Amino acid sequence: MYRKTYFCVCDGQQEEMYLKHVAFLLKDFPERVVTFNTTQGSTERLKKNYTEYDNAALFDYDFKDMKFRQNILICEQLQRKSSRENGKNVYHAYSNVNIDLWFILHKEYFNRPVASNDAYVADVRRIYGLSREADIKEKANIDRILRQITLDDVKYAIRRAEQIRAGKLKSDCFMVGNVICYGNPDFSLHEFLKVVLRNCGKWNCC
């Protein structure tokens, strides 16, 4: 039997609901149960987490460069501390520009740089059959989106994010601490989710 719990600090409702949905997709009781204990807030909250669980911070770039860099550095600092003290893992799981693009990647490849936070909204509405006026951050609409996402879709999104990364030029990267980042589109969310799936035996070629 496999049991694993992660403590995750999320930027907002979309990230939180998405993790709950991934846990639902992975659950095969009693053989396999993955749990995400989530809270909304800033990455700073990880500093006050004293559980024995692996930690993750899910956050967006949102064109807030200083905050984005601080979030990654906090995760790096906590990872170094945890590796010395208790062996816990601390993951940064960012979306650049934001998680709206992550929802797109579950169904389509999208590798076009954008210049605004709402640049993906029309594509999300189209892909998931929402009305032209739908607020994609409203709980009922997030539910409609998540009901259309399967475990295979999650794997496809990870593959597509890896494909986006593979197409980047090394000269376009920038360093945040020891972390290699790129301009949008870019992610580390897919790396965290790949770890989750691999650890529970559900990462295989989709």
Side-chain angles (χ1 to χ4, degrees):
M1 292 190 297
Y2 180 85
R3 298 288 186 275
K4 180 72 174 182
T5 299
Y6 300 87
F7 176 75
C8 300
V9 176
C10 300
D11 242 6
Q13 182 172 236
Q14 287 172 296
E15 289 87 354
E16 199 166 27
M17 291 177 65
Y18 178 79
L19 288 180
K20 300 293 186 185
H21 182 66
V22 171
F24 169 77
L25 294 175
L26 290 174
K27 186 174 182 178
D28 183 18
F29 186 83
E31 295 305 318
R32 180 179 61 251
V33 178
V34 175
T35 304
F36 298 101
N37 288 344
T38 62
T39 186
Q40 291 185 36
S42 74
T43 304
E44 293 273 352
R45 297 193 66 169
L46 288 181
K47 294 180 178 180
K48 299 180 180 180
N49 173 43
Y50 303 109
T51 69
E52 71 276 18
Y53 308 133
D54 285 353
N55 295 180
L58 279 71
F59 55 92
D60 295 335
Y61 177 70
D62 281 342
F63 297 103
K64 298 176 181 176
D65 192 71
M66 185 175 294
K67 181 180 179 184
F68 174 76
R69 291 171 181 268
Q70 287 174 342
N71 286 338
I72 292 177
L73 291 174
I74 288 170
C75 292
E76 275 210 301
Q77 174 192 0
L78 292 175
Q79 175 61 52
R80 287 193 297 269
K81 181 179 178 183
S82 293
S83 64
R84 291 194 307 266
E85 296 179 0
N86 52 36
K88 285 194 308 187
N89 293 303
V90 181
Y91 302 96
H92 53 81
Y94 66 78
S95 301
N96 183 359
V97 171
N98 58 46
I99 198 171
D100 299 346
L101 176 57
W102 183 244
F103 288 139
I104 291 173
L105 291 188
H106 285 72
K107 303 295 184 179
E108 295 181 1
Y109 184 72
F110 188 112
N111 192 29
R112 186 174 71 250
V114 302
S116 67
N117 268 333
D118 61 357
Y120 309 117
V121 173
D123 287 290
V124 173
R125 289 170 177 158
R126 171 183 58 80
I127 290 167
Y128 291 99
L130 304 178
S131 73
R132 293 176 62 183
E133 297 78 28
D135 179 356
I136 66 170
K137 298 187 186 300
E138 184 180 86
K139 184 178 185 299
N141 288 323
I142 299 172
D143 276 330
R144 291 187 184 97
I145 291 168
L146 294 176
R147 283 198 296 269
Q148 299 177 58
I149 290 177
T150 66
L151 186 57
D152 277 344
D153 289 331
V154 175
K155 295 175 186 178
Y156 282 124
I158 294 170
R159 293 289 194 197
R160 288 173 179 135
E162 290 178 334
Q163 188 179 350
I164 289 171
R165 265 287 175 107
K168 300 286 189 180
L169 298 175
K170 288 185 178 181
S171 58
D172 291 336
C173 79
F174 61 94
M175 301 298 296
V176 181
N178 294 315
V179 177
I180 298 173
C181 301
Y182 294 89
N184 81 82
D186 190 36
F187 297 93
S188 67
L189 174 58
H190 69 293
E191 295 172 347
F192 169 59
L193 290 170
K194 188 173 182 177
V195 168
V196 172
L197 267 61
R198 181 185 289 130
N199 285 348
C200 72
K202 293 302 292 181
W203 177 251
N204 55 329
C205 188
C206 48

